């Protein structure tokens, strides 16, 4: 369970909150969507297949400003699934996010870090590592484009593969640092809930409150207030 306003992931076993970690969620403009799914794949040393919106708004303008932009960010351009050389890119009549795709190569500087956790969904949201560890320091952690960054991704990987003699902690570390993407299916999918709870009781019976980071509660309050006003009239 990821609770967006709490900026935290919870691992629930047999109805009990067993452990958790800090997360970074989407900004208000690129908010993380509320939904549920099933975590079924882990990608070690992943590529970052950059969404078209980011390619259009950030990558292409960056390429126009700096001819070495792709090299500086360890990125490559593809067309029809084929990686284009710098010479070919330079000969393109125009750069259009609809006609090309861009991905960042695996490695320690990859924006997804060294591992990502996939639960296929229409929103292209997943859990992942990050090289930007400083983002976990602030109390308010809404910085991403919508995906969920994990403060302890190795711990989650080891938890998911516990008891699997193939994927020992040593094997996980080796795969993460291999520099080549490897996708592994989980034997049993794990339910994932991306929720939005600004008030709740914890296991110790304490009442918790968090800020309404995306304004969902405020919008609901306005709708309820409007309904009450119409009834009163």
């Amino acid at each position: 369970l990821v609770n967006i306003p709490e900026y935290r992931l919870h691992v629930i076993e047999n109805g009990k909150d067993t452990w958790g970690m800090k997360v970074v969620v989407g900004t208000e403009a690129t908010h993380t969507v509320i939904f549920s799914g099933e975590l079924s794949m882990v990608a070690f040393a992943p590529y970052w297949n950059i969404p078209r919106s980011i390619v259009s708004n950030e990558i292409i303008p960056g390429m126009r400003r700096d001819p070495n932009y792709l090299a500086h960010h360890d990125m490559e351009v593809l067309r029809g699934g084929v990686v284009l050389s710098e010479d070919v890119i330079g000969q393109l009549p125009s750069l259009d996010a609809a006609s090309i795709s861009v991905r960042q190569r695996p490695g320690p500087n990859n924006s997804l870090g060294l591992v990502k956790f996939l639960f296929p969904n229409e929103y292209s949201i997943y859990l992942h590592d990050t090289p930007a560890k400083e983002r976990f320091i602030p109390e308010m952690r809404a910085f991403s484009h919508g995906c969920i960054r994990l403060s302890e991704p190795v711990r989650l990987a080891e938890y998911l593969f516990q008891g699997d003699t193939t994927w020992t902690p040593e094997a996980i570390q080796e795969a993460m640092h291999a520099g080549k993407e490897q996708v592994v299916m989980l034997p049993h999918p794990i339910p994932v809930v991306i929720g939005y709870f600004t008030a709740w009781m914890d296991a110790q019976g304490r009442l918790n409150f968090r800020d309404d980071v995306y304004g969902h509660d405020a919008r609901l309050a306005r709708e309820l207030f409007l309904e009450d006003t119409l009834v009163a009239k």
Side-chain angles (χ1 to χ4, degrees):
L1 166 67
V2 174
N3 184 11
I4 294 169
E6 189 187 8
Y7 306 105
R8 192 164 182 82
L9 176 146
H10 299 264
V11 176
I12 312 296
E13 287 187 344
N14 300 316
K16 294 183 178 180
D17 191 345
T18 57
W19 60 276
M21 69 181 75
K22 293 179 179 179
V23 301
V24 168
V25 300
T27 65
E28 185 174 359
T30 58
H31 65 267
T32 300
V33 180
I34 302 167
F35 71 102
S36 61
E38 288 193 330
L39 198 165
S40 57
M41 295 178 283
V42 177
F44 296 111
Y47 279 100
W48 179 31
N49 296 298
I50 304 173
R52 290 195 186 279
S53 60
I54 299 177
V55 172
S56 179
N57 297 329
E58 299 179 28
I59 307 302
I60 290 177
M63 292 169 64
R64 288 173 177 153
R65 290 192 305 268
D66 178 6
N68 296 312
Y69 183 91
L70 293 175
H72 289 159
H73 293 84
D74 206 18
M75 294 176 179
E76 54 193 22
V77 173
L78 298 89
R79 199 176 213 178
V82 178
V83 178
L84 304 182
S85 67
E86 290 187 9
D87 290 341
V88 172
I89 295 171
Q91 294 172 8
L92 293 176
S94 64
L95 286 174
D96 185 344
S99 61
I100 63 170
S101 59
V102 181
R103 67 184 183 184
Q104 189 176 36
R105 300 182 187 93
N109 296 320
N110 186 288
S111 294
L112 304 185
L114 299 174
V115 61
K116 69 176 177 179
F117 305 87
L118 297 153
F119 38 105
N121 59 84
E122 61 182 298
Y123 312 108
S124 298
I125 289 178
Y126 42 83
L127 311 174
H128 66 88
D129 181 21
T130 175
K133 305 301 184 185
E134 71 279 0
R135 291 298 198 181
F136 296 106
I137 297 173
E139 184 177 340
M140 307 287 283
R141 296 187 293 277
F143 301 119
S144 81
H145 286 95
C147 287
I148 299 157
R149 306 176 193 173
L150 304 175
S151 60
E152 300 179 72
V154 176
R155 185 180 183 186
L156 181 59
E158 292 179 351
Y159 173 80
L160 294 173
F161 288 108
Q162 61 184 327
D164 188 328
T165 55
T166 300
W167 289 104
T168 62
E170 294 75 18
I172 288 172
Q173 284 292 335
E174 182 178 349
M176 287 173 60
H177 293 88
K180 181 179 180 181
E181 186 176 66
Q182 181 177 3
V183 179
V184 182
M185 299 294 296
L186 293 178
H188 304 288
I190 307 296
V192 175
V193 175
I194 312 299
Y196 193 92
F197 308 103
T198 54
W200 73 95
M201 296 287 288
D202 63 22
Q204 288 72 42
R206 297 172 298 196
L207 183 58
N208 283 257
F209 293 101
R210 296 295 187 275
D211 289 340
D212 182 16
V213 57
Y214 294 158
H216 292 338
D217 288 357
R219 281 189 290 274
L220 178 60
R222 286 194 297 270
E223 291 177 9
L224 292 173
F225 179 77
L226 175 61
E227 181 178 333
D228 289 343
T229 300
L230 293 175
V231 170
K233 289 181 178 180

